[in-house]
Amino acid sequence: MQRTATFLWHLVPTATLAIALALVSPGGVRAQDADATAGTTSARQIVISLTERRLHLLEEGRPPRSFPVAIGRPGVAIPLGDSQVLRKRRNPTWRPTANQRRENPALPASVPPGPSNPLGKFALDLGWTAIAIHGTNEPDSVGRRASGGCFRMLPADIAALFEMVPVGTPVRVVSGPTVLPSPQPAVAVAAAASPLPIPPSPPTVALPLPILPDPRCATAGAPLRRMICTVPDLAALDGRARGLHQRHLAALPAERRDAAAYALLQEERRFDDRITARCWVRRGMEEDPAVAAAAEACLRDALAVRLEEAKRR
């Protein structure tokens, strides 16, 4: 009798946990929507700045990565504070909220995966009701106040983020600029006592940043790429980032070089997607002085960020 009572006592926490989970998720989690529904907090953290309209991925031992996002349009409440990735969905189904359907009764009850799905191909559901980090079928909206409260990312960016972060990753949304961690200072090691004087080390001479031109410049057709190729300071920023990328590749062992070169190519494609979304110029309008000035300022900022990221690599 005592052994039977002990066995039943050990079943109570399990039953209590099952009831608690059912209360937290009254609608349940459909197996076809969930890539993962449980996980542990990793060394990664996501920080989203509403002022910057950027998502930063912080990882121990690696430089921060940064991606543009669309945030809630004016008049839409945007959550602030701490949450986490509760669920990952590949090829998600979009279901408008009750408020969205009241505002627009023509909305369907759901939109299946496909090119017309507003969530794109990937979604990271957060702890706030109906709030997610997801892709989009409107990449031009990224970097703007355009969403219904969620955080939209470019297709290539959300695909990369989806693979990098597990369920349980902490997410913090801040209204002001993000304070990124500074590199850890080197630890000074005391030299052992020596009977002979130690000659001073020669001064370190910083190598000039190599400038590598973009091979696409000869056939560039897109207005933004033509601006980068023809405006001297933009070409210099772009060329220095390319030169640093090549220096980085040359320093790697041969067995790692191909994979790193492919990763850099993917990064360059994501950069092109970002400037297309943020600095967009209608073809033929780049001759307008006001349009050209705005686009050049936007490109200058984007290229400067890219160069800093290349320096930290």
Side-chain angles (χ1 to χ4, degrees):
M1 181 65 181
Q2 182 178 2
R3 294 177 61 187
T4 302
T6 302
F7 173 74
L8 292 174
W9 174 255
H10 283 292
L11 286 180
V12 172
T14 303
T16 304
L17 177 60
I19 294 170
L21 288 175
L23 291 174
V24 171
S25 304
V29 177
R30 295 181 311 280
Q32 66 268 29
D33 279 351
D35 271 22
T37 57
T40 56
T41 301
S42 70
R44 299 176 177 88
Q45 180 186 13
I46 292 172
V47 180
I48 300 173
S49 166
L50 302 184
T51 300
E52 299 169 342
R53 299 179 196 172
R54 297 192 74 82
L55 179 151
H56 303 278
L57 176 62
L58 311 182
E59 301 177 84
E60 289 183 3
R62 297 194 63 173
R65 306 186 194 189
S66 178
F67 308 94
V69 293
I71 64 173
R73 59 183 177 271
V76 171
I78 305 174
L80 288 173
D82 294 316
S83 186
Q84 63 176 316
V85 175
L86 289 187
R87 181 172 63 165
K88 297 172 64 173
R89 290 185 289 156
R90 193 185 302 268
N91 296 319
T93 295
W94 179 60
R95 291 178 172 81
T97 65
N99 285 337
Q100 288 172 327
R101 298 194 69 188
R102 276 194 294 269
E103 293 175 2
N104 184 1
L107 287 176
S110 66
V111 177
S116 61
N117 190 305
L119 302 182
K121 295 183 178 180
F122 304 95
L124 304 175
D125 294 327
L126 305 182
W128 296 297
T129 302
I131 298 296
I133 301 167
H134 59 76
T136 180
N137 60 346
E138 299 179 1
D140 287 350
S141 68
V142 175
R144 304 177 184 176
R145 298 197 62 179
S147 79
C150 291
F151 305 101
R152 299 179 187 172
M153 298 182 67
L154 293 169
D157 290 347
I158 186 61
L161 186 71
F162 189 88
E163 298 301 329
M164 287 187 285
V165 300
V167 169
T169 299
V171 177
R172 172 170 292 179
V173 179
V174 298
S175 58
T178 306
V179 179
L180 299 178
S182 57
Q184 294 296 320
V187 178
V189 179
S194 173
L196 298 176
I198 300 175
S201 300
T204 302
V205 178
L207 295 176
L209 290 179
I211 297 179
L212 188 67
D214 185 351
R216 298 174 295 175
C217 283
T219 57
L224 293 174
R225 181 52 57 183
R226 285 204 303 270
M227 283 186 183
I228 292 175
C229 291
T230 57
V231 177
D233 63 326
L234 299 183
L237 287 169
D238 185 59
R240 288 190 178 97
R242 292 175 184 281
L244 287 174
H245 288 160
Q246 288 303 311
R247 179 188 287 177
H248 168 71
L249 289 177
L252 292 175
E255 64 272 15
R256 293 177 52 196
R257 205 166 294 151
D258 288 345
Y262 179 74
L264 284 173
L265 178 62
Q266 295 296 99
E267 185 178 300
E268 182 169 16
R269 288 173 178 169
R270 290 193 293 270
F271 174 77
D272 286 346
D273 287 343
R274 289 197 294 272
I275 63 172
T276 299
R278 292 183 58 195
C279 312
W280 179 78
V281 176
R282 188 186 300 276
R283 190 180 297 273
M285 291 296 293
E286 65 268 30
E287 301 301 326
D288 184 309
V291 172
E296 288 176 17
C298 180
L299 288 172
R300 192 172 292 107
D301 290 343
L303 289 165
V305 170
R306 183 178 180 224
L307 179 57
E308 289 305 311
E309 291 173 349
K311 290 178 182 177
R312 293 195 298 264
R313 185 177 297 277

